[in-house]
C-alpha cells in the first residue's frame, strides 16, 4: 500500500531519475536511510520498473515522428509473434500498440527525416505480411512525456 510520501518519491523520480537519494529525501521530508529503503521497496514491488535517460531527439538526429496505422488479415498467435519480432528488430519503431477499431496496430517511429520512413517501411514489409499501412507525420508535439499519474496506485 502506497502512502503520500511514496507517491511523492514516484513523482520526483519520474521528473528526474538521476536525483541523489539525499536530494530526494529532502524533497519528501525523510531521512536518507528511510528514503533509500522506500526506493528499494518501490523497485522490488514493481512500482519502479526501470530508470532511464530521456535523450534529446534533435541532438541524437531523429527529430521526425511518424505514426503508422497497420491493418492485417492475420491474427494467429504465430503471426503476432512474427510481427512482434519484426518490429523489435527495428530501432526506429519506438512504440507499438494493438488497437480496437478500424486498424489493428499503431506504430510510433522516430526518424532523421520524413523520407527515411520508406526505408523502415520496406524493412518491415520484408519481414512480415501486412494488408494496409497508412502513415501520418506529426507536425507538432503538443504534449510529450513518460510520466504517469500516481494518484491511482494503491
Amino acid at each position: 500500500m502506497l502512502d503520500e510520501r511514496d507517491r511523492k518519491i514516484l513523482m520526483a523520480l519520474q521528473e528526474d531519475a538521476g536525483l541523489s537519494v539525499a536530494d530526494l529525501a529532502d524533497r519528501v521530508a525523510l531521512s536518507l536511510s528511510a528514503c533509500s529503503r522506500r526506493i528499494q521497496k518501490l523497485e522490488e514491488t514493481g512500482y519502479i520498473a526501470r530508470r532511464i535517460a530521456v535523450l534529446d531527439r534533435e541532438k541524437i538526429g531523429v527529430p521526425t515522428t511518424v505514426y503508422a496505422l497497420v491493418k492485417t488479415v492475420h491474427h494467429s498467435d504465430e503471426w503476432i509473434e512474427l510481427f512482434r519480432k519484426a518490429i523489435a528488430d527495428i530501432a526506429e519503431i519506438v512504440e507499438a500498440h494493438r488497437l480496437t477499431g478500424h486498424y489493428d496496430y499503431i506504430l510510433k517511429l522516430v526518424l532523421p527525416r520524413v523520407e527515411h520512413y520508406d526505408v523502415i517501411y520496406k524493412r518491415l514489409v520484408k519481414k512480415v505480411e501486412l494488408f494496409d499501412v497508412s502513415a501520418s507525420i506529426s507536425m507538432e508535439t503538443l504534449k510529450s512525456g513518460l510520466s504517469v499519474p500516481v494518484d491511482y496506485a494503491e
Side-chain angles (χ1 to χ4, degrees), residues 2-151:
L2 297 182
D3 64 16
E4 192 57 32
R5 283 200 174 124
D6 290 329
R7 287 184 177 82
K8 285 181 181 179
I9 290 170
L10 292 172
M11 289 187 321
L13 288 175
Q14 284 190 108
E15 290 174 19
D16 183 0
L19 279 174
S20 70
V21 177
D23 287 340
L24 192 53
D26 284 344
R27 285 189 186 193
V28 299
L30 285 171
S31 70
L32 190 66
S33 60
C35 186
S36 181
R37 282 192 303 273
R38 282 180 183 250
I39 293 168
Q40 184 177 3
K41 184 177 178 186
L42 290 167
E43 289 174 333
E44 289 170 355
T45 55
Y47 287 99
I48 299 173
R50 62 188 171 140
R51 297 189 203 190
I52 62 168
V54 178
L55 306 181
D56 183 306
R57 289 182 39 201
E58 291 279 340
K59 290 185 179 185
I60 295 298
V62 288
T64 304
T65 303
V66 173
Y67 292 94
L69 293 160
V70 176
K71 286 184 190 180
T72 181
V73 295
H74 305 285
H75 299 283
S76 69
D77 290 343
E78 295 81 17
W79 185 90
I80 293 170
E81 189 56 32
L82 181 66
F83 182 65
R84 189 183 312 270
K85 287 178 182 174
I87 61 176
D89 289 341
I90 302 173
E92 292 85 352
I93 300 173
V94 295
E95 285 187 42
H97 302 268
R98 192 164 57 92
L99 305 174
T100 62
H102 192 65
Y103 288 94
D104 297 306
Y105 299 92
I106 187 169
L107 309 177
K108 178 181 178 182
L109 294 84
V110 295
L111 305 168
R113 60 194 174 287
V114 72
E115 295 83 4
H116 194 74
Y117 171 72
D118 191 47
V119 173
I120 303 305
Y121 171 81
K122 288 176 181 174
R123 281 177 53 198
L124 181 59
V125 297
K126 282 182 183 177
K127 295 179 178 196
V128 65
E129 182 185 353
L130 303 174
F131 177 73
D132 182 43
V133 180
S134 175
S136 295
I137 302 161
S138 172
M139 300 293 289
E140 177 184 12
T141 301
L142 301 176
K143 182 177 181 181
S144 178
L146 301 175
S147 297
V148 297
V150 298
D151 299 337

